Amino acid sequence: MSDTLLINSSELGATASDWLALLKPRVMSLVVFTGAIGLVVAPVHMNPILAVTAILCIAVGAGAAGAINMWYDRDIDAVMKRTAMRPVAAGRIEPASALGFGVVLAICSVLLMAVVANAVAAGVLAASIGFYVFIYTMWLKRRTPQNIVIGGAAGAFPAVIGWAAATGDIGALPLLLFAIVFFWTPPHFWSLALYASDDYKRAGVPMLPVVKGARHTRVCVFVYTLVLLPVALLPYWLGLTGRIYGASALVLGAAFIYYAWGVLRDRQDEAGVSLSNDAPARAAFKYSLLYLFVLFGACAIDRLV
Amino acid sequence: MMPNAPRVEHENWSPEMVAEFKRRQRGRNIALLAALAAFCVLIYAVAVVKLHEYGQMW
């Protein structure tokens, strides 16, 4: 029997795509994009091979944080419809394997960033991974409805890392890009939370609609979207970007406010529950993704032309 | 003498399940090989660029 491998009949083992899914590829695409923009708008030219490697480090670092998040949140992922099929929650990958995978990738990404770019970029990358894992996942997510307000900082780091990789320091523009993602995160996630609140409620995650109700959340989405407009215009007002970015920030911001207004004015019952199946919140969520891609794209175009 | 490769065996597994297990295992192995090969190429390219930057090559 020594040459026989006995395996639990409930498991046929994970596929390669399950391991890839641990890295949250969809979140990774946003991280890669904002990190690349930070690198492109930096005033220092970086060798293309080193630049691509630096962006890869940002992507792998973010993916590693995602894998550790899936390890830690496997209990709540399993009861939420949106996340029940994730590889750890569904039992296709052992929790300890996911944790080991995430930790090894996190260490490798930070070390490689230090070799390829510099200590500042590696330090900020390590801080972003630590922030996502310890501050957001382990501390805030299950304790406060402000979880994604503070936790949003984790997703705002990549532009700063990209800039730091090229320049070795942190300037005003990457800090403003950080602020834009920071203020963009609440209306983005709360729009999603509005139509996924049953899921969060079932899992016991204190998202804003679960704790304060849908009506209060709609007001918060609108207020944060209003605040986002001047924040997004700051790089133009301070002369750090040109007119292409300025015009884009104004038009995109106005459109975002229009969508947020739709969320605020959504038909609802006395308890604030949507009578339109949260159609405006779904539209606002989709638009928020477009907003960030186009706004950051305009920032890069402004720098290149 | 090389030991025999471990056999995959379970009393409840049908031949289809064993085949599926082997298919997944092969897929993981190929993905790992591709990742390791890509990592080696990446490190080689980074080393060449770094050496070139510091004037120690060509």
Side-chain angles (χ1 to χ4, degrees):
Chain A
M1 281 298 285
S2 62
D3 63 342
T4 301
L5 201 63
L6 290 177
I7 293 160
N8 187 335
S9 62
S10 67
E11 286 189 20
L12 287 169
T15 61
S17 60
D18 283 330
W19 287 96
L20 185 66
L22 268 187
L23 304 177
K24 297 190 177 179
R26 273 198 287 182
V27 175
M28 212 194 254
S29 65
L30 186 69
V31 165
V32 166
F33 180 72
T34 53
I37 295 296
L39 213 143
V40 167
V41 299
V44 178
H45 173 75
M46 197 175 181
N47 180 288
I49 291 174
L50 300 185
V52 168
T53 310
I55 292 168
L56 187 70
C57 288
I58 297 172
V60 172
I68 299 171
N69 170 276
M70 282 198 203
W71 161 75
Y72 190 82
D73 278 348
R74 61 191 183 280
D75 56 337
I76 55 176
D77 281 350
V79 294
M80 288 173 65
K81 243 188 286 178
R82 191 170 65 86
T83 54
M85 287 315 292
R86 283 179 174 174
V88 182
R92 295 193 303 279
I93 292 179
E94 286 291 320
S97 302
L99 176 63
F101 184 62
V103 170
V104 168
L105 286 185
I107 292 169
C108 288
S109 65
V110 171
L111 290 178
L112 188 56
M113 180 67 97
V115 171
V116 165
N118 52 64
V120 177
V124 181
L125 178 61
S128 72
I129 296 169
F131 193 95
Y132 186 75
V133 171
F134 297 111
I135 307 291
Y136 172 69
T137 302
M138 296 184 180
W139 182 32
L140 298 171
K141 187 174 178 181
R142 301 179 190 223
R143 282 179 176 80
T144 168
Q146 299 300 314
N147 47 16
I148 52 106
V149 177
I150 307 162
F157 275 110
V160 180
I161 302 169
W163 175 287
T167 64
D169 62 16
I170 297 168
L173 184 56
L175 288 178
L176 288 172
L177 295 178
F178 178 98
I180 290 168
V181 179
F182 185 79
F183 283 99
W184 165 87
T185 304
H188 169 73
F189 264 111
W190 284 334
S191 297
L192 167 73
L194 273 170
Y195 61 88
S197 63
D198 287 345
D199 243 8
Y200 287 115
K201 196 173 184 177
R202 201 178 308 124
V205 179
M207 289 299 278
L208 198 61
V210 177
V211 177
K212 300 275 187 179
R215 195 184 300 275
H216 180 82
T217 306
R218 289 194 187 93
V219 174
C220 290
V221 167
F222 186 69
V223 170
Y224 267 92
T225 310
L226 285 180
V227 173
L228 180 61
L229 179 66
V231 171
L233 280 166
L234 268 176
Y236 174 68
W237 285 335
L238 294 175
L240 299 169
T241 59
R243 287 177 185 166
I244 295 173
Y245 174 84
S248 303
L250 191 64
V251 173
L252 290 164
F256 203 175
I257 289 171
Y258 169 77
Y259 278 97
W261 177 253
V263 173
L264 185 68
R265 303 300 299 165
D266 189 14
R267 288 185 297 113
Q268 51 201 289
D269 64 18
E270 284 183 2
V273 177
S274 174
L275 299 174
S276 67
N277 196 24
D278 281 309
R282 291 171 199 274
F285 177 76
K286 278 184 193 162
Y287 176 76
S288 66
L289 287 168
L290 180 73
Y291 171 89
L292 201 66
F293 272 101
V294 177
L295 186 71
F296 274 51
C299 188
I301 290 167
D302 226 349
R303 181 62 68 140
L304 295 172
V305 295
Chain B
M1 191 175 156
M2 289 285 287
N4 291 333
R7 285 187 295 117
V8 176
E9 186 179 293
H10 193 279
E11 55 192 18
N12 298 327
W13 278 20
S14 63
E16 289 78 18
M17 289 175 80
V18 173
E20 173 62 15
F21 174 84
K22 287 184 175 173
R23 191 188 66 78
R24 290 184 184 196
Q25 192 178 46
R26 197 179 311 117
R28 289 197 301 272
N29 291 342
I30 291 169
L32 185 61
L33 176 68
L36 287 173
F39 185 67
C40 290
V41 170
L42 185 71
I43 295 297
Y44 177 75
V46 168
V48 168
V49 171
K50 284 282 180 185
L51 288 172
H52 190 61
E53 272 185 356
Y54 294 117
Q56 292 173 10
M57 204 169 187
W58 303 304

